[in-house]
Amino acid sequence: MQWRHPRSALLLAGALLALSGPLGGPAAAAPVAAVPLTPAAEPADGPDPIDFAVVVDQSRSLSDQDLVRETEAAALLAQGEISDRSRATVIGFSSSEKPGQSAVHDLCPLLTADEAGRRRLSDCVQDLSRRDEQRMGPGTDFPAAIRQAVSRLTDETAAGDPKTPRAPKVIFLLTDGKLDVGDSPEYGTDPASRQANGAKRLEDELARARAAGVQIWPLGFGSGIDEAALTAMAEGGYRGACSDVPGSTPRMRVADTSAEIDKALQETFAAARCARIAHGTVGKPPADLFVTIPPIATDGSLTVSKHDPKVRVSYYDPSGRKVPTHGEFEDSTFEVSGEDGPVEALRVKNPLPGRWRIRVEAPEGHRDQEVAVRAIWQGRLRSVLTLDPASPRAGERAQVEVRMQTRRGVVITDPRQLDGIGVTVELTGDGFSPVKTRLADDGRAPDRTAGDVRFTGTLTVPAGAVGKLKLIARMSAPGVTSDERPLYTVTTVGTPEVTAGLSVDRVTVNPGGTVQGTLSVTNNGSGPHTLRLSLGDDAAEGGTGGTAGGGELGISPATVVAPAGARTTVPFTITVGAGTPLGALGGRLAVVDAADPGRPLDTAFLDVQVEAPPTWWDRWWGFVAGAAAVLALLGAVTAVRLAARRRRRVLAGTRLELRRDGRSLDTLTIRAGQSAGGEFLFTVDEVRGAAPTLRRARGGGAAHRLRRTGNGEMLLRLHRGREEPVRPGVPVAVDDCELVVQTSRDPGRTTRTRPRVSGFPGARSRTRTRVASGTGGDGGAGVDGMTWQPGPVPDTDDGTGTRGTWNRDF
């Protein structure tokens, strides 16, 4: 299930939206104030409180460092408690061996763990690390410690409101040793009898704790632990558990070193109060530490074991936003304590699930100790029940179905979040003893689908049931408790005049959308009956209002009239308000007879998923994708055509030949890369006494230009002339010569040859050969990389010299 912060689904208010009119007639236009089915007491909000005592060994066998670690562990419990209705006391103990000494020391009275109380606890717990040798003996007096803790937890003068249900009472005992009262005079006249008397006194105090309903969770550390004695203390106190989940019954635990006390004690604390603990990361400041809170959590505390009060802490939610340390923010409530102590905690109500970042910083000189972050959390779930038939007869078998949602209204749909959960329902009423049954989500009848987090079972209403019925669901799992909100109904006597059935579509809608449903009614009476539809979870049936989870729901028609002696079906529409949060829409729909509103005719779960409205992209992505594909195709075609056009404009391999009187004077082949943009610049150079030559030009106003267009046409613009078309092989006058353009496409090895030309005194026929390497030929080496290859005939008119060929590597 995706849970979007922080309003993932609806807390459906019990709103009744009324409309009068005949069955199947026009729908009502406006909602009116709700009329409850049956008043229901609102269960207390937040996690169940506990009363606990942190009892810490201060005997001489502990080193100063051990005392510091014990102090920090005690502070973890005092600061990390998740309920502001819990109460805590801190007691130090050792032994009493001479006048002026006391075996126990009340360091913190029993304080309510609200903001002010946690601050006081943070201050007074520091006294654990200061041992007064004059007032404290060196021994370990377990009986005195347990007696003092039990007395403080059961003190009626501190019990608070007598109408408030008594909270569980728990002692967390931290020690590094075993019973040592050999030097305590109150236990006898000699050490041997004192130890024996101390052991007997311990048994008596454990019995007293058991009778008072006080659990004992011992935690030992170090090498001198008497594990048998710690086990006896855990088993000697009250053996009640916060749930039937294994691990919630008191047991002893041993930490190998004092450095592991805080981790072990927090895990012990979580087990004792049916909470869970999430271990985060560890690091030295400055650092970012992380811990993850699951979606099912409704209450929690982020604890930071910083050891040094100089460490400063900032908290960032999974969305990356810095949260306040006090007050409300985005539907969550925050409260920090312990900022000036070794342990700091941020209590969060309705935490945003996900990975939290905790930034720790410290000034120079205070960065040598590692900081650890953890989260203690609990999920207090609201049970939403349906009973089929909604108003059963005495002796009738009925089917019960339960869904769970968080305080935010988040409907739990992921079975992994409820791993190990057990769900039971209890039916109570007049004329019979309570009936209990266990529900299952295993896919076996009557459960429809395994793993859909709809727990189903059956029960038989006792034959003696008369009048009102009350149904309560209870759940137990590690870290999960139930608010136990009831479902009220009444028994049906005889054959009812009116029966009704509800069905609601299972759909996905957007805020502002609608959900369709059908009401089927059979009226066997002699007169018409007015029926009313109501929306609400079991928490809201005693209230009024038209909003749920931040969004308004409407139902139309909300009131219909069933004509006498007829069976009729009428559709109805549930409108999901525009402000409805995203997520699963929880709660239930009920139909009642206006003449008997305490007797529901039928109920049905709402099973609707609210999703974000489609964005522009959601609506038009197909069109955009199609248009993008067309554009991509057009782009590809265009690119191919442009590439072909560029290839047609390339002049590489084109051969320019300069002629005069039909004789070739010089040739020049355009190489690859020399015709950028499809044009080539060249000049005709004439040196006195030599034949004209063709030379590539880099630019300048005296150059001629040969250009090829995209369609392959060649254009020639002579210096100071106009651009004219030129056809391959057709001579064009250039100065007093002719230029012939050949379109051979061979940009590889080209040969530039000037044959012998008559009429120039001293002129020689010579060949310039462009090769990959070497000069070739058998002649001697010339200058500038040229070689001379002599020929067989004289070169001049007077017979001197020899006609030959100059070869040059271009």
Side-chain angles (χ1 to χ4, degrees), residues 108-441:
C108 301
L110 192 64
L111 297 171
T112 301
D114 55 14
E115 183 175 2
R118 290 201 300 164
R119 292 186 181 278
R120 288 187 60 190
L121 287 165
S122 178
D123 293 336
C124 66
V125 78
Q126 304 307 312
D127 291 335
L128 284 170
S129 63
R130 295 185 284 272
R131 185 165 41 200
D132 187 344
E133 301 288 351
Q134 298 299 317
R135 299 179 57 193
M136 304 171 65
T140 307
D141 192 341
F142 289 138
I146 292 176
R147 180 172 64 250
Q148 185 77 359
V150 171
S151 296
R152 291 293 176 258
L153 293 176
T154 58
D155 185 359
E156 293 300 326
T157 62
D161 186 355
K163 297 181 181 179
T164 302
R166 297 176 61 186
K169 304 181 185 302
V170 183
I171 294 174
F172 298 99
L173 177 68
L174 284 73
T175 179
D176 79 327
K178 50 190 172 182
L179 179 68
D180 180 11
V181 292
D183 293 329
S184 297
E186 68 174 293
Y187 288 101
T189 57
D190 62 87
S193 62
R194 288 169 181 165
Q195 283 294 109
N197 291 337
K200 179 64 173 67
R201 180 83 61 82
L202 178 58
E203 292 180 0
D204 295 340
E205 296 303 333
L206 292 175
R208 179 169 173 255
R210 185 167 58 251
V214 179
Q215 301 178 25
I216 301 174
W217 293 72
L219 175 64
F221 62 93
S223 57
I225 294 297
D226 185 348
E227 294 190 15
L230 296 186
T231 299
M233 282 190 276
E235 296 178 350
Y238 179 62
R239 298 296 289 166
C242 62
S243 75
D244 58 3
V245 175
S248 64
T249 302
R251 63 187 186 278
M252 80 91 184
R253 182 166 180 171
V254 174
D256 293 335
T257 65
S258 62
E260 298 177 4
I261 292 179
D262 56 350
K263 177 178 180 290
L265 187 58
Q266 278 194 298
E267 291 176 347
T268 299
F269 183 71
R273 69 145 18 266
C274 277
R276 289 190 190 180
I277 185 168
H279 295 288
T281 57
V282 178
K284 294 181 179 180
D288 287 323
L289 308 180
F290 300 91
V291 67
T292 300
I293 296 180
I296 200 173
T298 57
D299 301 272
S301 284
L302 301 173
T303 61
V304 185
S305 301
K306 54 187 186 179
H307 310 298
D308 189 337
K310 293 292 185 181
V311 175
R312 290 292 173 253
V313 186
S314 300
Y315 304 87
Y316 297 83
D317 69 16
S319 295
R321 299 167 299 186
K322 184 176 181 180
V323 301
T325 53
H326 295 86
E328 296 183 356
F329 176 74
E330 291 291 335
D331 294 343
S332 298
T333 303
F334 301 90
E335 177 190 294
V336 75
S337 62
E339 304 100 306
D340 298 325
V343 175
E344 182 176 325
L346 180 70
R347 180 185 292 163
V348 188
K349 181 178 180 179
N350 298 332
L352 181 64
R355 191 168 183 250
W356 285 69
R357 177 169 68 94
I358 293 85
R359 178 67 181 175
V360 292
E361 300 184 65
E364 292 288 346
H366 298 269
R367 301 176 177 176
D368 58 332
Q369 297 196 70
E370 286 190 330
V371 179
V373 61
R374 298 180 181 90
I376 295 179
W377 60 268
Q378 191 177 73
R380 186 171 175 82
L381 301 183
R382 293 180 172 179
S383 54
V384 184
L385 300 92
T386 63
L387 187 65
D388 184 21
S391 179
R393 298 184 184 91
E396 186 175 10
R397 191 173 184 84
Q399 180 174 305
V400 184
E401 189 171 357
V402 175
R403 297 179 69 190
M404 273 79 74
Q405 60 190 51
T406 68
R407 186 187 299 122
R408 291 178 180 271
V410 178
V411 178
I412 308 301
T413 59
D414 184 355
R416 292 172 297 181
Q417 296 184 30
L418 299 176
D419 185 35
I421 193 171
V423 181
T424 59
V425 293
E426 182 182 58
L427 180 68
T428 58
D430 297 334
F432 64 94
S433 299
V435 175
K436 294 183 180 179
T437 188
R438 189 174 183 87
L439 308 184
D441 181 24

Side-chain angles (χ1 to χ4, degrees), residues 445-744:
D447 187 56
R448 289 174 293 184
T449 305
D452 63 352
V453 199
R454 291 170 176 255
F455 290 82
T456 311
T458 59
L459 56 80
T460 300
V461 179
V466 176
K468 296 180 181 180
L469 300 175
K470 178 182 177 181
L471 192 67
I472 291 179
R474 295 184 176 93
M475 57 196 75
S476 59
V480 176
T481 61
S482 172
D483 60 3
E484 299 185 3
R485 60 191 60 229
L487 169 68
Y488 291 101
T489 186
V490 295
T491 56
T492 295
V493 180
T495 302
E497 284 191 353
V498 179
T499 59
L502 289 169
S503 64
V504 185
D505 292 346
R506 296 186 178 187
V507 293
T508 298
V509 299
N510 307 130
T514 59
V515 181
Q516 303 302 316
T518 302
L519 170 65
S520 299
V521 183
T522 300
N523 182 2
N524 296 314
S526 58
H529 282 258
T530 300
L531 305 184
R532 293 176 179 170
L533 294 171
S534 66
L535 289 165
D537 65 7
D538 293 339
E541 289 182 357
T544 62
T547 61
E552 187 156 340
L553 296 175
I555 184 168
S556 177
T559 302
V560 297
V561 175
R567 179 176 182 177
T568 318
T569 299
V570 60
F572 60 86
T573 300
I574 298 173
T575 302
V576 180
T580 301
L582 308 180
L585 180 65
R588 54 173 207 146
L589 176 69
V591 57
V592 299
D593 190 334
D596 189 6
R599 186 194 309 273
L601 301 176
D602 195 25
T603 58
F605 284 129
L606 292 181
D607 196 354
V608 178
Q609 188 75 19
V610 182
E611 293 186 349
T615 62
W616 180 92
W617 173 254
D618 294 329
R619 290 190 179 97
W620 299 101
W621 72 268
F623 175 79
V624 173
V630 171
L631 290 176
L633 180 60
L634 291 176
V637 172
T638 302
V640 170
R641 295 185 64 180
L642 289 176
R645 187 179 181 89
R646 284 194 297 269
R647 286 194 300 269
R648 286 195 297 268
R649 296 180 66 185
V650 171
L651 290 168
T654 301
R655 183 168 173 264
L656 306 181
E657 183 180 9
L658 192 64
R659 296 179 181 178
R660 178 180 289 167
D661 298 332
R663 295 181 179 182
S664 178
L665 302 177
D666 197 10
T667 61
L668 179 62
T669 302
I670 302 174
R671 293 183 296 163
Q674 293 183 338
S675 55
E679 63 179 39
F680 179 76
L681 302 179
F682 65 97
T683 60
V684 177
D685 295 342
E686 295 192 44
V687 179
R688 186 173 181 178
T693 60
L694 292 169
R695 181 175 62 85
R696 180 190 175 198
R698 299 288 182 177
H704 309 299
R705 185 183 72 177
L706 178 66
R707 183 172 69 89
R708 175 176 275 147
T709 64
N711 59 13
E713 182 184 15
M714 286 192 296
L715 301 173
L716 178 65
R717 188 194 68 188
L718 300 179
H719 173 54
R720 294 180 181 177
R722 295 186 305 172
E723 192 173 59
E724 300 286 350
V726 59
R727 291 187 296 173
V730 179
V732 178
V734 179
D735 297 334
D736 58 348
C737 300
E738 293 178 338
L739 180 70
V740 178
V741 179
Q742 301 291 345
T743 57
S744 172

